Short mmCIF file of all heavy atoms in Angstrom, two decimals:
data_model
loop_
_atom_site.label_atom_id
_atom_site.label_comp_id
_atom_site.label_asym_id
_atom_site.label_seq_id
_atom_site.Cartn_x
_atom_site.Cartn_y
_atom_site.Cartn_z
N LEU A 140 -82.55 -148.37 46.03
CA LEU A 140 -82.89 -147.51 44.90
C LEU A 140 -82.56 -146.05 45.20
O LEU A 140 -82.03 -145.33 44.37
CB LEU A 140 -84.37 -147.64 44.58
CG LEU A 140 -84.79 -148.88 43.77
CD1 LEU A 140 -86.31 -148.96 43.73
CD2 LEU A 140 -84.19 -148.83 42.39
N ALA A 141 -82.83 -145.61 46.47
CA ALA A 141 -82.58 -144.23 46.82
C ALA A 141 -81.08 -143.93 46.85
O ALA A 141 -80.67 -142.76 46.64
CB ALA A 141 -83.19 -143.91 48.17
N ALA A 142 -80.26 -144.93 47.08
CA ALA A 142 -78.79 -144.72 47.05
C ALA A 142 -78.28 -144.50 45.66
O ALA A 142 -77.26 -143.85 45.46
CB ALA A 142 -78.10 -145.98 47.62
N ASP A 143 -79.06 -144.90 44.60
CA ASP A 143 -78.60 -144.81 43.26
C ASP A 143 -79.43 -143.96 42.34
O ASP A 143 -78.98 -143.54 41.28
CB ASP A 143 -78.48 -146.28 42.68
CG ASP A 143 -77.69 -146.33 41.47
OD1 ASP A 143 -76.62 -145.67 41.39
OD2 ASP A 143 -78.08 -147.00 40.52
N GLU A 144 -80.70 -143.73 42.72
CA GLU A 144 -81.60 -143.04 41.86
C GLU A 144 -82.09 -141.71 42.46
O GLU A 144 -81.72 -141.40 43.59
CB GLU A 144 -82.84 -143.93 41.56
CG GLU A 144 -82.57 -145.27 40.91
CD GLU A 144 -81.97 -145.15 39.52
OE1 GLU A 144 -82.29 -144.15 38.84
OE2 GLU A 144 -81.25 -146.09 39.15
N ASN A 145 -82.85 -141.00 41.72
CA ASN A 145 -83.44 -139.71 42.21
C ASN A 145 -84.36 -140.04 43.36
O ASN A 145 -85.33 -140.71 43.29
CB ASN A 145 -84.25 -139.10 41.09
CG ASN A 145 -84.88 -137.77 41.48
OD1 ASN A 145 -85.01 -137.44 42.67
ND2 ASN A 145 -85.24 -137.00 40.51
N PRO A 146 -84.09 -139.45 44.60
CA PRO A 146 -84.86 -139.77 45.79
C PRO A 146 -86.32 -139.38 45.60
O PRO A 146 -87.20 -140.07 46.17
CB PRO A 146 -84.18 -138.98 46.90
CG PRO A 146 -83.01 -138.30 46.35
CD PRO A 146 -82.97 -138.58 44.89
N PHE A 147 -86.63 -138.29 44.94
CA PHE A 147 -88.04 -137.91 44.79
C PHE A 147 -88.79 -138.86 43.92
O PHE A 147 -89.95 -139.21 44.22
CB PHE A 147 -88.10 -136.47 44.20
CG PHE A 147 -87.54 -135.44 45.11
CD1 PHE A 147 -86.34 -134.81 44.78
CD2 PHE A 147 -88.15 -135.09 46.30
CE1 PHE A 147 -85.75 -133.89 45.58
CE2 PHE A 147 -87.60 -134.19 47.16
CZ PHE A 147 -86.38 -133.53 46.79
N GLY A 148 -88.16 -139.40 42.91
CA GLY A 148 -88.77 -140.45 42.08
C GLY A 148 -88.97 -141.74 42.84
O GLY A 148 -89.98 -142.41 42.71
N VAL A 149 -88.03 -142.06 43.71
CA VAL A 149 -88.18 -143.26 44.53
C VAL A 149 -89.29 -143.12 45.53
O VAL A 149 -90.08 -144.06 45.72
CB VAL A 149 -86.81 -143.60 45.23
CG1 VAL A 149 -86.94 -144.80 46.18
CG2 VAL A 149 -85.72 -143.89 44.20
N VAL A 150 -89.40 -141.95 46.17
CA VAL A 150 -90.51 -141.70 47.10
C VAL A 150 -91.86 -141.81 46.36
O VAL A 150 -92.75 -142.51 46.84
CB VAL A 150 -90.34 -140.32 47.77
CG1 VAL A 150 -91.65 -139.97 48.49
CG2 VAL A 150 -89.23 -140.30 48.78
N LEU A 151 -91.94 -141.14 45.22
CA LEU A 151 -93.24 -141.14 44.49
C LEU A 151 -93.60 -142.57 44.01
O LEU A 151 -94.68 -143.01 44.22
CB LEU A 151 -93.11 -140.21 43.30
CG LEU A 151 -94.38 -140.07 42.43
CD1 LEU A 151 -95.51 -139.52 43.29
CD2 LEU A 151 -94.13 -139.21 41.24
N GLY A 152 -92.59 -143.28 43.42
CA GLY A 152 -92.86 -144.66 42.98
C GLY A 152 -93.20 -145.55 44.14
O GLY A 152 -94.11 -146.41 44.02
N GLY A 153 -92.47 -145.47 45.21
CA GLY A 153 -92.71 -146.31 46.39
C GLY A 153 -94.11 -146.06 46.99
O GLY A 153 -94.83 -147.01 47.30
N ILE A 154 -94.48 -144.82 47.11
CA ILE A 154 -95.79 -144.46 47.71
C ILE A 154 -96.90 -144.95 46.76
O ILE A 154 -97.86 -145.52 47.23
CB ILE A 154 -95.87 -142.94 48.01
CG1 ILE A 154 -95.01 -142.64 49.18
CG2 ILE A 154 -97.35 -142.57 48.25
CD1 ILE A 154 -94.87 -141.14 49.46
N LEU A 155 -96.74 -144.74 45.48
CA LEU A 155 -97.81 -145.21 44.52
C LEU A 155 -97.91 -146.72 44.59
O LEU A 155 -99.02 -147.29 44.54
CB LEU A 155 -97.46 -144.70 43.14
CG LEU A 155 -97.70 -143.19 42.89
CD1 LEU A 155 -97.19 -142.84 41.48
CD2 LEU A 155 -99.13 -142.84 43.09
N GLY A 156 -96.80 -147.42 44.60
CA GLY A 156 -96.83 -148.90 44.62
C GLY A 156 -97.42 -149.40 45.92
O GLY A 156 -98.26 -150.33 45.91
#
Side-chain angles (χ1 to χ4, degrees):
L140 283 171
D143 195 41
E144 302 294 334
N145 180 342
F147 296 110
V149 175
V150 167
L151 182 62
I154 290 172
L155 288 174

